[in-house]
Amino acid sequence: MVTEERRHEALAALEILDTAPEDRFDRITRLAQRLFEVPMVSVTLLDGERQWRKSHRGLTTEAPRESAFCDLTARQDAQLVIDDAAADERFRDNPFVVGDPHLRFYAGEPLRAAGGEPVGTLCVLDTVPHSLNAEQLQLLRDLADWVQAELDRDAQSDGVAVVQTALLPRRKPTARGFEIAAASEAGAAVSGDFYDWYDDGDGFCVTVGDVVGRGMSAAIVAASVRAALRSATPYAGLERAIETVSANLEDDLGRLGVLATAFHARVAPSGTVEYVDAGHGLAFVVAAAGGVRRLEPGLPLGKSSTDRVAASVQLAPGDSLLCLSDGALDALGGEHGLQRAEAIVRGSATPAGAVSRIVSAVRAAAPLSEALAIVVRRSS
């Protein structure tokens, strides 16, 4: 049995308590909120007498730990699902049920430190009852594995950097009628981010990927995703290429303990951008006339889903397609930094200038973070 002292020491060793919000966690809670259709989601860590939330939707950053459902989830070190707390004699008098936020539904999955100590949860909550099927329960476990991989990520900095450099494309696509630029820079902790671009008929393809996991395993998966999308897209199209890669990787991702996301798009000469977002969630259209639009993601790679369908958006003359890594958005200020990214893209004379300014912002951040940015601008 894990003692409270050991749990506290393991949590402290993660060096994450009271750190600033990061989009690499926020993107998971955003996705969970959309997939489970609940008002509240949290990545919760249990510190002394408090619940501290690294990322949350619809909740406060801190709350008392006593009587918390997340505390029970961590103590039993197993998934906890409460369909209707008010109808369950174990929980109907719980202070979080009879008082704010008046919970009725809770589903939580444990998060663990490096030694296996349960130190927190990923949970979804609502003020009305819910019932989850087996597929949804597995989805919650998969999302918790993604959070787990992010918690472990900073310690993994072996030979991935060499592989990352080799993954970068050597030539730009012809891209007539468009300007295109990218920058990728590893930080203190090596990431699994990569980008790719290449000609495809009279248009060109752009891919941004993020493989979250352990060291060289993540690099191998990144190389596999890049190669598979390059080879499959010209013959199968975006949607089938993504689904083929996802199906082929399903077993490998689980065995290697990594999670992969990708934004895969084809830009036509007319300015039409056809795309499939497999869990990346960091692609935007920056309009020349003002405004920025986030392109909605589906499930990550390796998850069976009918949610990943090809969509399209139109770039008017002067509009830009902006793709970022979570580290780049974090350095700009997270969700609040999106306006800054918009201003950088619109205020730069060229895409190359925009990505250079984004990387400069990352270099100025402390601690140093990884950065990946692509800007595709339709010529005006």
Side-chain angles (χ1 to χ4, degrees):
M1 180 177 178
V2 178
T3 65
E4 184 61 26
E5 180 181 6
R6 181 177 166 190
R7 193 190 336 262
H8 189 270
E9 291 174 350
L11 178 58
L14 291 175
E15 297 183 346
I16 194 172
L17 287 172
D18 298 309
T19 56
E22 298 177 69
D23 200 69
R24 59 183 177 137
F25 293 102
D26 292 343
R27 65 197 292 207
I28 301 173
T29 53
R30 283 196 304 269
L31 186 61
Q33 185 179 45
R34 187 171 74 88
L35 294 174
F36 286 93
E37 298 181 332
V38 294
M40 295 170 281
V41 181
S42 177
V43 173
T44 301
L45 298 170
L46 302 167
D47 175 38
E49 298 180 352
R50 65 171 179 160
Q51 303 177 78
W52 179 78
R53 297 176 176 124
K54 175 61 179 175
S55 177
H56 57 89
R57 313 286 288 178
L59 293 163
T60 58
T61 302
E62 293 189 16
R65 178 176 173 180
E66 185 177 1
S67 301
F69 294 150
C70 287
D71 187 49
L72 178 58
T73 305
R75 289 183 185 278
Q76 69 180 27
D77 197 12
Q79 188 179 78
L80 174 65
V81 180
I82 305 168
D83 292 346
D84 186 353
D88 191 320
E89 62 181 13
R90 298 172 299 168
F91 306 110
R92 62 178 55 155
D93 296 325
N94 185 285
F96 293 100
V97 176
V98 298
D100 189 58
H102 301 284
L103 296 178
R104 295 287 293 276
F105 166 73
Y106 172 91
E109 187 74 25
L111 301 173
R112 301 173 182 88
E117 302 88 351
V119 294
T121 69
L122 170 68
C123 61
V124 293
L125 315 94
D126 205 340
T127 55
V128 297
H130 283 257
S131 180
L132 301 184
N133 59 33
E135 183 179 353
Q136 289 172 312
L137 294 175
Q138 182 59 52
L139 177 59
L140 182 62
R141 294 187 186 98
D142 291 338
L143 290 174
D145 286 345
W146 187 357
V147 177
Q148 189 71 62
E150 289 290 359
L151 291 173
D152 296 339
R153 186 175 183 175
D154 292 344
Q156 311 306 323
S157 58
D158 50 23
V160 181
V162 176
V163 179
Q164 278 186 295
T165 301
L167 287 176
L168 299 180
R170 296 180 181 275
R171 289 192 298 268
K172 288 185 180 182
T174 305
R176 292 181 181 177
F178 296 87
E179 298 174 89
I180 181 169
S184 179
E185 181 168 312
V190 179
S191 75
D193 296 332
F194 70 93
Y195 72 87
D196 195 18
W197 53 32
Y198 48 90
D199 288 311
D200 182 39
D202 58 354
F204 61 97
C205 289
V206 175
T207 306
V208 176
D210 186 7
V211 180
V212 183
R214 297 180 178 274
M216 190 56 69
S217 296
I220 293 171
V221 172
S224 299
V225 171
R226 176 182 181 270
L229 288 176
R230 267 200 175 225
S231 60
T233 299
Y235 307 101
L238 297 178
E239 192 173 321
R240 285 191 61 193
I242 283 284
E243 289 307 314
T244 299
V245 171
S246 180
N248 290 342
L249 284 175
E250 189 167 356
D251 290 339
D252 291 339
L253 292 174
R255 186 175 66 255
L256 294 172
V258 300
L259 187 141
T261 69
F263 175 82
H264 189 43
R266 184 184 186 277
V267 183
S270 64
T272 299
V273 180
E274 183 184 14
Y275 68 92
V276 178
D277 193 316
H280 190 70
L282 296 174
F284 312 88
V285 171
V286 179
V292 60
R293 171 188 172 188
R294 183 192 293 267
L295 305 184
E296 286 295 318
L299 286 178
L301 297 172
K303 313 299 177 190
S304 299
S305 173
T306 58
D307 192 36
R308 288 188 298 264
V309 295
S312 65
V313 66
Q314 184 69 30
L315 295 182
D319 288 355
S320 297
L321 173 68
L322 168 67
C323 299
L324 298 171
S325 65
D326 48 10
L329 190 58
D330 284 342
L332 293 170
E335 285 299 298
H336 298 295
L338 188 52
Q339 289 183 337
R340 184 180 178 189
E342 176 190 1
I344 288 175
V345 172
R346 190 176 296 110
S348 299
T350 63
V355 297
S356 176
R357 290 174 64 188
I358 290 171
V359 169
S360 294
V362 173
R363 287 181 182 142
L368 182 63
S369 178
E370 50 79 27
L372 186 154
I374 291 182
V375 175
V376 177
R377 178 179 293 169
R378 186 179 178 190
S379 302
S380 57

